[in-house]
Amino acid sequence: MVLLQQDKQEIINTYQTHPTDTGSADVQVAILTERIKSLSGHLKTNSKDHSSRRGLMKMIGQRKRLLAYIAKHDRQHYRDLIARLGIRG
């Protein structure tokens, strides 16, 4: 459920907009997406873990707000990002 430091660093390197970028909206969305995937797998085997389910819902809401921010400022960048992440069907 927790991302290892090296995995997190790989995500940051992939989605950063400039060499010192570690917290832009793109990077945050990418990290949240990985955490959501991990937690979803956990919940498939532990269906009665309601506290983790609540945490998953909070992460999904946070990612949704960040994606709305990106979409509001640059629609094409938003489309490219969700295509790279493989979300929104």
Side-chain angles (χ1 to χ4, degrees):
M1 288 191 281
V2 175
L3 286 177
L4 297 176
Q5 184 63 35
Q6 63 192 25
D7 297 335
K8 192 173 183 178
Q9 192 60 46
E10 286 177 21
I11 294 169
I12 290 171
N13 291 339
T14 304
Y15 291 95
Q16 64 187 1
T17 56
H18 54 83
T20 59
D21 175 23
T22 57
S24 67
D26 293 2
V27 172
Q28 290 180 52
V29 168
I31 290 172
L32 280 170
T33 299
E34 284 301 313
R35 290 183 64 202
I36 287 168
K37 287 179 185 175
S38 172
L39 198 52
S40 295
H42 167 78
L43 287 171
K44 286 180 183 172
T45 58
N46 301 290
S47 60
K48 295 185 179 184
D49 188 356
H50 298 294
S51 60
S52 292
R53 187 173 311 279
R54 182 174 187 271
L56 175 67
M57 292 298 127
K58 288 182 72 157
M59 281 189 267
I60 291 171
Q62 180 66 33
R63 182 177 72 177
K64 183 178 178 181
R65 286 190 298 274
L66 286 166
L67 286 171
Y69 170 80
I70 294 169
K72 183 173 71 170
H73 289 284
D74 187 357
R75 193 60 136 169
Q76 186 58 44
H77 182 71
Y78 164 78
R79 288 186 190 115
D80 295 341
L81 181 63
I82 62 172
R84 283 178 66 190
L85 290 170
I87 55 178
R88 303 261 168 108

